[in-house]
Amino acid sequence: MRKESMHHQVEIIYSQTDQCPMTDSSFNFFQFVHIVSGSGSHEVNGNRITYQAGSFLLITPNDYHAFYVETLTEFLIIRFNKGYIKEYQWKSIDHIECLLHNASHVSGCIIENANDKLLVNSIVGSILHNIKYNDLYNNDLNQHLINALIVIAARNIAKFKPANIKEHANKKIVDIINYIQSNIYSPGQLKAPVICGKFGVSTNYLSVYFKEACGETITHFIANYRLRLIEYRLNFSDCRINELVEEFGFADESHMNKFFKRHKGMSTSTYRGAKDALVISA
DNA sequence: TACTTCGCGCGAGACAGACA
DNA sequence: TGTCTGTCTCGCGCGAAGTA
């Protein structure tokens, strides 16, 4: 299987085809694929989901994927590598690479928010316009537009809901989940009395209420979300363990270590060491 | 059906000490 | 210096049962 690589940190490719433009290839960069027009399906790591005009897909490094085009399809493909993510100063999101990797388990369009869909369509339209009408500073302009797409993608990924959240879940439970995800770095804000006070639910009823709507207890949900972020930070950052301890609001390293080991069966440093060994041997 | 009460078990926090 | 392990205490969350 061939391995694609990039010549620049960011590349924009416009393609119109009725055949598969990218089949069964692997690569070490991120790709946004916006479907300008057309329909078909997209298979990522064995999951096949239909696409249509307006779909905004994210393919993460080392995903195996293929497009199955049904009607003539226009693709706008934006590629950027890890170096690009690390170099750019994201004001409020210092773990954006983690968020993008976080979407590797998600198939289909990554933009769920209706307003963000409009925003993405507008930005993609501007990029297409810049490609068509080459002008002074277009590269800089496109880079800013791509950064905007990255931020929009990150915030939609950050708001992915639990897989088994009930269809009828009311606005309150969605608000609670959003609140948890927004305050995941402040454990004090995630205590039951605080959440209950904010959302007008009885302290002892919260866990029942949450489990009824989401199929898992609130502490399990918080622990899993926290654990996933720690995993990504261990995988994709050079942060020291005690920096993560501070970031995630643990009392000390031992506490985070116990938390991590209880769920993953190994200490944080062992986990990072195992990951590094895999990278070296790859 | 929506919410409350209550008792128990678990996990968070604090600390000491070991190890590389 | 950075990380890991063990122990102890206490508060909190969970789930069962009860109530309106």
Side-chain angles (χ1 to χ4, degrees), chain A residues 46 62 69 100 130 149 154 169 185 187 189 199 210 215 218:
Chain A
N62 297 321
V69 178
L100 295 179
N130 289 344
L149 288 176
Y185 297 103
Q189 297 299 310
F199 294 95
F210 193 91
I218 191 165

Side-chain angles (χ1 to χ4, degrees), chain A residues 128-146:
Chain A
L128 287 170
H129 183 273
N130 289 344
I131 293 172
K132 196 171 179 182
Y133 303 102
N134 197 20
D135 202 350
L136 193 64
Y137 305 137
N138 262 7
N139 283 344
D140 287 306
L141 189 54
N142 280 340
Q143 189 168 325
H144 286 293
L145 293 170
I146 289 167

Side-chain angles (χ1 to χ4, degrees), chain A residues 161-167 213-216:
Chain A
K161 303 294 173 274
N164 40 3
I165 186 169
K166 302 275 197 306
E167 282 301 317
C214 301
E216 63 179 325

Side-chain angles (χ1 to χ4, degrees), chain A residues 21-170:
Chain A
M22 296 173 289
T23 54
D24 203 27
S25 57
S26 70
F27 38 83
N28 56 3
F29 44 81
F30 293 98
Q31 295 191 74
F32 284 144
V33 180
H34 182 80
I35 308 300
V36 181
S37 66
S39 63
S41 58
H42 182 225
E43 186 174 313
V44 188
N45 302 328
N47 293 325
R48 196 158 164 172
I49 299 285
T50 57
Y51 71 75
Q52 59 204 6
S55 293
F56 192 78
L57 315 169
L58 170 64
I59 308 161
T60 56
N62 297 321
D63 277 347
Y64 292 104
H65 79 107
F67 281 97
Y68 300 91
V69 178
E70 286 172 10
T71 62
L72 181 67
T73 300
E74 282 181 282
F75 295 95
L76 179 73
I77 302 161
I78 298 164
R79 296 172 167 179
F80 51 97
N81 59 24
K82 293 180 185 180
Y84 180 75
I85 296 285
K86 279 184 175 158
E87 272 180 28
Y88 191 80
Q89 297 297 309
W90 308 95
K91 289 277 182 191
S92 55
I93 322 170
D94 62 351
H95 52 284
I96 204 156
E97 190 186 346
C98 308
L99 284 170
L100 295 179
H101 272 284
N102 196 20
S104 63
H105 66 288
V106 179
S107 304
C109 185
I110 58 167
I111 308 297
E112 290 194 329
N113 182 286
N115 290 332
D116 283 348
K117 281 186 180 176
L118 291 174
L119 210 50
V120 165
N121 282 335
S122 166
I123 292 169
V124 166
S126 300
I127 293 174
L128 287 170
H129 183 273
N130 289 344
I131 293 172
K132 196 171 179 182
Y133 303 102
N134 197 20
D135 202 350
L136 193 64
Y137 305 137
N138 262 7
N139 283 344
D140 287 306
L141 189 54
N142 280 340
Q143 189 168 325
H144 286 293
L145 293 170
I146 289 167
N147 289 346
L149 288 176
I150 292 173
V151 172
I152 293 168
R155 81 170 165 200
N156 277 267
I157 293 163
K159 289 180 178 176
F160 275 134
K161 303 294 173 274
N164 40 3
I165 186 169
K166 302 275 197 306
E167 282 301 317
H168 66 269
N170 61 27

